[in-house]
Amino acid sequence: MPLIALCAGDGIGPEVAVEAVKALNAIDKKFKIGFEYVDAPVGGAAYDKFGTPLPEETLAKAKKADAIFLGAVGGPKWEKLDYSVRPERGLLGLRSALDLYANLRPAKMFAPLVDASTLKREIVEGIDMVVVRELTGDLYFGKPRGVEKLPDGTKRGVNTMVYTTPEIERIARVAFEIARKRSRKVCSIDKANVLETTELWREVVQGVRDKEYPDINLSHMYVDNAAMQLVRAPKQFDVMVTGNIFGDILSDEASMLTGSIGMLPSASLNGKKGMYEPIHGSAPDIAGKGIANPIASILSMAMMLEYTFDRSDAARVIENAVAKVLDKGYRTGDIYSPGTTKVGTVEMGDLIVKEL
Ligand code: IPM
Ligand code: MG
C-alpha cells in the first residue's frame, strides 16, 4: 500500500492539509489506489510537544513513507528560539536527511486569475514555467557557518556557498529531463561574474548539456538580471535551474507573477521519493480563521500523484477540477476580486472534490 506521511505543521498548515487529504481521498475512491496515511508532527507543533522541530519518530515515518505531505512550518511564537530548534530546522532537516535535492516549483497562470497579478495582463497572461531549485547544498548547508565573538567585542557571521561537481550534475539532469517533457529550453542562473562556486555551476551545467543532452537549448543568466527579467518579460523562461539560495528568492518572485502564492504547489524529490508542499508559508495572521486558500496544497497532491506514484492521469483530474472551480468564479480571499464568489477553506475544498 502506498504510504503518505502527513506533516501538517503550523499556522494554516493543518487547515490546508485537511483539504488536501480530502481531495486525495476522493481521487483514491475514483482510481482505487489505496493510500494509507500516518501523522508526523513537525515544526513548532513538534517543538511544543517534543522539544524538537524534527522528532526521531517523524524522521523515521518520513523515511518509511513513499511520499510526504507538508503543510507549513513556523510562526512568531517560535521566532525567539535558538536556530537549532526553530520550526524551519524541521523542514530543512527533512530535506537534508532524505536528500531531497531537487525542488520543483511550477509557476503556472490560471486564466481566470490573470487580473489577480500585480503585473500587467499582457506580461503575465499564459505564464507556464518551472523553477528547478537545488535544495540540499549551497549557503543553506555549507560549512563553516555560525556567528563568533571576536577579541575586540565585535562579532563575525559566516555562511559558506559550496557546490561539488556531482551535486551540480544531478540537479542539471533533473532540469534537462523536465525540459524534455516541455519545450527543451533551460536557463541556468548563477553569479559567475563574481562567485567562483557559481562559475563552477555554469561550467558543470554546460558540460552535462553538451555530453548528455545535446537536444536541450541551454542558456545562462546572472541572478540579478534574472530577477529583473522575471518582472520585465517572464514568458522568456520555461525551465529555470539554479542553486539553493538563488532558487529560494527567484521562486518567490516567479510565484507572485501568477497572482497568488496561495495557488502554487511544490515537490522536493530524490528519484521517486518526494516531499510535497504548498509554497506559501504558515501565514500565522490568518491561521484558524478558515479563510486560507487550500489550492496550493491540493495541487501539491497532484504533483505527488505525478512524480511519486506515476499517476499523471489522476494528477490531471485534480488540476482540471481546480480550473473548473475557478472558472465558475469561486475564490478564497487571497484571489478574490469583485464579481466573484468568496468562499472559505473548507468550502473551496468541497467545491474541488465535487468536480473530481
Ligand atoms: C522555502 C522557504 C524555506 C527556505 C524556509 C521556510 C526555511 O522559504 O521553502 O522556500 O528558505 O527554503
Ligand atoms: Mg522561500
Side-chain angles (χ1 to χ4, degrees), residues 88 91-92 95 105 133 140 248 277:
E88 290 78 4
L91 176 60
L92 296 170
R95 289 176 182 171
R105 299 191 164 187
R133 166 189 176 193
Y140 275 66
D248 178 44
E277 352 161 20

Side-chain angles (χ1 to χ4, degrees), residues 61-263:
K61 284 174 180 169
K63 282 187 173 158
K64 191 164 162 243
D66 299 292
I68 300 139
F69 174 84
L70 190 136
V73 295
K77 184 174 172 196
W78 304 283
E79 255 160 27
K80 296 254 146 55
L81 291 177
D82 186 74
Y83 255 103
S84 59
V85 290
R86 292 242 186 109
E88 290 78 4
R89 301 309 307 176
L91 176 60
L92 296 170
L94 279 171
R95 289 176 182 171
S96 136
L98 303 175
D99 198 21
L100 303 171
Y101 66 92
N103 184 214
L104 277 40
R105 299 191 164 187
K108 192 172 169 182
M109 175 64 87
F110 282 88
L113 296 186
V114 65
D115 293 314
S117 177
T118 48
L119 298 189
K120 289 195 197 98
R121 170 182 273 266
E122 60 270 26
I123 304 289
V124 295
E125 198 163 32
I127 281 184
D128 182 1
M129 63 176 291
V130 48
V131 178
V132 178
R133 166 189 176 193
E134 200 290 331
L135 205 57
T136 51
D138 204 352
L139 285 171
Y140 275 66
F141 296 96
K143 287 193 177 124
R145 67 183 298 154
V147 177
E148 58 176 1
K149 261 213 181 103
L150 299 178
D152 69 358
T154 61
K155 289 179 178 174
R156 179 171 177 270
V158 184
N159 287 96
T160 303
M161 180 175 263
V162 52
Y163 270 120
T164 61
T165 309
E167 284 175 316
I168 304 168
E169 284 173 344
R170 66 179 185 173
I171 192 71
R173 288 192 188 103
V174 170
F176 294 146
E177 289 295 334
I178 290 171
R180 275 189 174 161
K181 294 186 191 144
R182 299 170 56 100
S183 64
R184 296 182 186 252
K185 204 172 118 190
V186 175
C187 184
S188 170
I189 309 299
D190 60 50
K191 188 71 185 174
N193 51 344
V194 180
L195 304 172
E196 288 85 348
T197 308
T198 75
E199 195 182 359
L200 175 69
W201 175 281
R202 183 177 286 222
E203 226 175 82
V204 173
V205 172
Q206 186 65 51
V208 174
R209 141 70 178 70
D210 294 348
K211 255 200 228 124
E212 303 169 33
Y213 296 88
D215 55 309
I216 297 290
N217 171 359
L218 172 68
S219 60
H220 303 273
M221 194 182 278
Y222 297 141
V223 63
D224 48 349
N225 186 24
M228 188 263 278
Q229 295 297 336
L230 266 175
V231 286
R232 192 189 74 87
K235 281 183 262 184
Q236 69 186 283
F237 298 110
D238 188 331
V239 175
M240 184 183 264
V241 63
T242 190
N244 206 344
I245 187 72
F246 297 160
D248 178 44
I249 299 164
L250 294 177
S251 62
D252 265 28
E253 192 186 357
S255 72
M256 205 50 214
L257 300 173
T258 68
S260 170
I261 200 160
M263 296 291 299

Side-chain angles (χ1 to χ4, degrees), residues 32-45:
K32 314 242 177 311
I33 306 175
F35 290 118
E36 282 179 17
Y37 303 90
V38 54
D39 278 316
V42 74

